């Protein structure tokens, strides 16, 4: 492992910071013990606060050291970030630390990629890009023996749906704002046996021009300047909120984007997909089978059915009018119903209630990534500077190609 001069200096600063924090922690512990012995509540509270501040400083220094050493070794310091993440750059981390303790205006800073295009594609293809399963912050505080002591256990992520549809769709890099392609259509049954000397039959090939345009998908949130002080834990918050929010919107757009303005054109609004009309006399699972048949008839190979959890449950609850026996499930204590007519059934709120999407998601479409998730930070938005808060913006650019509209079928499960 080779460490540059800048990295070595930064490492020495971090270690000095850790040693200083350990000294303050030991002094605070002694003061706390003395306050307990003297039964002085006011002094005990002050010592507890000093102890917790010192513990936090030690944890931050330890995490910063791990980030720096990981970068010097050429490996990523986090499971969710690639080697190009701004959170793996010691200089950027140092700048964020300075911002946390400064009252000077910063204007707008481009922090750089949180997940580069290549890293994001790799995460999507592996299915491992999503939020961490850890519910706490990156580091858990060491808890001293204190009566009724309140300790910060990190940030508990908000409940959120799994973006399982993204696991079905191929992902590729995209260069430039847009690119054109041609969609082939026409009859494939024009070839015939031809006697000698006879006119041979004409083929039927139609090429229709189509275009993929990269669209920006972004959102932002505000945080207090002091919250930057724990920079490593900021990585968890930024990744969980900014990256997930962008990719959740991408998944929504893949299904329901209307193609107007800066929206992607989603599958449900693409001309040429098959549609199964609702029929109240037909079981919902049979309607889904009709959609599967439509995709097969188009000579595609359906590989999943995506439907709203409410409709998924309605299918499982269907019972015979006479006997009350379940028609399409073995009941609550059977194997989970993760397949529908042999295809993976994916319950997800990305689908509106009353609709199911059957498709050959592998051949039917591709998600193109023009830019990964980039992050900017500013105190110049609205009255941020006066309120001592910062605005953090995350955005990416994506394009969607629906290569084969006939590879999809919309099944209406309600009137």
């Amino acid at each position: 492992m080779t460490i540059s001069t800048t990295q070595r200096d930064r490492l020495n600063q971090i270690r000095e910071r850790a040693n200083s924090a350990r000294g303050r922690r030991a002094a605070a512990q002694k003061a706390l013990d003395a306050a307990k012995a003297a039964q002085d509540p006011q002094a005990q509270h002050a010592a507890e606060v000093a102890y917790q501040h010192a513990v936090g400083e030690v944890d931050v220094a330890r995490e910063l050291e791990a980030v720096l050493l990981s970068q010097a070794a050429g490996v990523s310091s986090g499971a969710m970030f690639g080697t190009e993440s701004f959170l793996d750059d010691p200089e950027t981390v140092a700048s964020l630390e300075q911002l946390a303790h400064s009252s000077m205006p910063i204007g707008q800073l481009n922090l750089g990629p949180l997940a580069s295009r290549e890293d994001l594609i790799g995460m999507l293809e592996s299915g491992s890009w999503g939020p961490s399963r850890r519910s706490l912050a990156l580091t858990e505080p060491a808890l001293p023996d204190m009566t009724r002591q309140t300790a910060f256990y990190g940030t508990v992520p908000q409940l959120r749906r799994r973006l399982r549809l993204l696991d079905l769709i191929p992902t590729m890099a995209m260069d430039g704002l847009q690119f054109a392609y041609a969609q082939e259509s026409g009859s494939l049954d024009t070839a015939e046996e031809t006697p000698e000397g006879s006119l041979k039959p004409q083929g039927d090939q139609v090429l229709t021009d189509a275009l993929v345009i990269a669209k920006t998908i972004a959102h932002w949130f505000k945080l207090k300047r002091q919250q930057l002080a724990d920079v490593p834990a900021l990585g968890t918050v930024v990744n969980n909120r900014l990256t997930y929010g962008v990719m959740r919107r991408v998944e929504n757009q893949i299904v329901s984007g209307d193609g107007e303005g800066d929206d992607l054109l989603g599958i449900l609004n693409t001309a040429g997909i098959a549609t199964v009309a609702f029929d109240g006399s037909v079981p919902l699972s049979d309607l889904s089978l009709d959609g599967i048949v439509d995709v097969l008839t188009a000579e595609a190979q359906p590989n999943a059915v995506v439907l709203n959890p409410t409709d998924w449950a309605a299918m499982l609850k269907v019972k015979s009018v006479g006997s009350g026996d379940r028609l399409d499930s073995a009941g609550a204590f059977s194997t989970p119903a993760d397949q529908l007519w042999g295809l993976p059934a994916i319950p997800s709120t990305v689908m509106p209630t009353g609709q199911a999407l059957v498709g050959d998601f592998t051949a039917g479409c591709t998600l193109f990534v023009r830019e990964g998730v980039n992050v900017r930070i500013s105190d110049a938005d609205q009255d941020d500077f006066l309120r001592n808060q910062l605005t953090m913006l995350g955005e990416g650019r994506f394009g969607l190609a629906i290569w084969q509209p006939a590879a999809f079928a919309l099944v209406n499960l309600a009137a």
Side-chain angles (χ1 to χ4, degrees):
M1 178 174 64
T2 303
I3 300 180
S4 66
T5 302
T6 301
Q7 290 174 324
R8 185 179 296 107
D9 292 342
R10 177 61 177 154
L11 187 59
N12 289 334
Q13 293 173 3
I14 293 172
R15 287 172 174 169
E16 289 176 3
R17 173 178 176 177
N19 290 333
S20 175
R22 291 188 184 99
R24 294 197 303 276
R25 182 179 62 184
Q29 183 64 64
K30 290 180 180 179
L32 179 61
D33 293 340
K36 285 182 177 180
Q39 295 184 347
D40 185 345
Q42 186 173 0
Q44 182 177 342
H45 175 71
E48 289 173 350
V49 172
Y51 186 93
Q52 286 301 315
H53 279 297
V55 168
E57 278 285 299
V58 172
D59 289 340
V60 170
R62 185 186 301 116
E63 188 66 29
L64 290 174
E65 182 178 5
V67 168
L68 186 62
L69 291 176
S70 296
Q71 186 191 42
V75 298
S76 175
S77 62
M80 303 314 304
F81 303 106
T83 54
E84 295 187 40
S85 170
F86 74 86
L87 292 166
D88 288 333
D89 183 1
E91 294 184 2
T92 302
V93 171
S95 298
L96 291 175
E97 288 185 277
Q98 292 176 359
L99 292 178
H101 303 289
S102 171
S103 60
M104 297 297 292
I106 65 171
Q108 183 180 115
L109 297 177
N110 185 5
L111 298 181
L114 177 63
S116 70
R117 180 175 67 178
E118 289 72 21
D119 289 334
L120 190 59
I121 291 173
M123 293 172 187
L124 287 166
E125 290 181 344
S126 65
S128 63
W129 71 271
S132 171
R133 293 183 179 272
R134 295 189 61 183
S135 61
L136 304 181
L138 291 180
T139 57
E140 298 178 6
L143 298 179
D145 183 16
M146 299 178 183
T147 304
R148 300 178 64 85
Q149 172 65 39
T150 299
F152 179 66
Y153 267 79
T155 302
V156 180
Q158 182 178 345
L159 292 175
R160 57 195 69 182
R161 75 168 185 252
R162 292 177 57 191
L163 307 185
R164 298 179 63 189
L165 181 62
L166 293 179
D167 297 336
L168 299 173
I169 299 174
T171 310
M172 296 181 62
M174 177 179 179
D175 296 318
L177 170 65
Q178 61 187 32
F179 66 86
Y181 66 97
Q183 289 178 318
E184 182 187 46
S185 60
S187 174
L188 296 174
D189 295 315
T190 56
E192 296 178 358
E193 299 75 16
T194 307
E196 291 185 10
S198 299
L199 184 66
K200 297 175 177 59
Q202 180 180 351
D204 180 20
Q205 183 186 49
V206 179
L207 298 178
T208 304
D209 292 332
L211 194 66
V212 173
I213 304 177
K215 301 296 182 71
T216 299
I217 295 179
H219 66 148
W220 55 268
F221 61 79
K222 294 184 182 293
L223 67 160
K224 297 180 179 65
R225 189 185 288 262
Q226 293 88 339
Q227 289 174 323
L228 286 178
D230 192 6
V231 176
L234 176 67
T236 299
V237 177
V238 169
N239 182 71
N240 283 354
R241 178 59 60 174
L242 289 182
T243 304
Y244 176 82
V246 168
M247 299 312 299
R248 180 185 176 104
R249 181 61 180 178
V250 169
E251 189 177 72
N252 291 343
Q253 288 279 286
I254 290 172
V255 174
S256 303
D258 60 14
E260 299 293 331
D262 290 320
D263 281 9
L264 298 174
L265 180 60
I267 296 172
L268 297 186
N269 293 306
T270 298
I273 70 170
T275 302
V276 177
F278 174 71
D279 186 340
S281 64
V282 178
L284 299 183
S285 56
D286 286 0
L287 291 176
S288 300
L289 179 59
D290 291 340
I292 293 173
V293 171
D294 284 340
V295 175
L296 289 170
T297 302
E299 301 190 347
Q301 296 297 320
N303 53 14
V305 181
V306 185
L307 69 169
N308 190 276
T310 301
D311 299 313
W312 174 72
M315 292 183 186
L316 297 177
K317 292 178 180 179
V318 174
K319 299 178 181 179
S320 172
V321 176
S323 64
D325 294 336
R326 294 182 180 272
L327 296 182
D328 288 323
S329 74
F333 300 100
S334 63
T335 303
D338 56 1
Q339 289 197 338
L340 179 61
W341 299 110
L343 298 180
I346 301 179
S348 173
T349 55
V350 71
M351 286 301 300
T353 304
Q355 291 182 330
L357 180 62
V358 180
D360 182 345
F361 293 92
T362 301
C365 62
T366 298
L367 176 66
F368 287 90
V369 181
R370 177 66 182 92
E371 294 179 9
V373 179
N374 294 295
V375 177
R376 295 179 176 85
I377 190 169
S378 172
D379 65 353
D381 180 62
Q382 302 174 26
D383 56 357
D384 281 356
F385 180 69
L386 297 179
R387 294 183 180 275
N388 205 25
Q389 64 185 11
L390 301 166
T391 299
M392 186 162 284
L393 169 70
E395 62 182 15
R397 297 174 67 197
F398 305 88
L400 179 65
I402 310 296
W403 308 118
Q404 304 288 348
F408 299 98
L410 170 63
V411 182
N412 290 290
L413 303 175

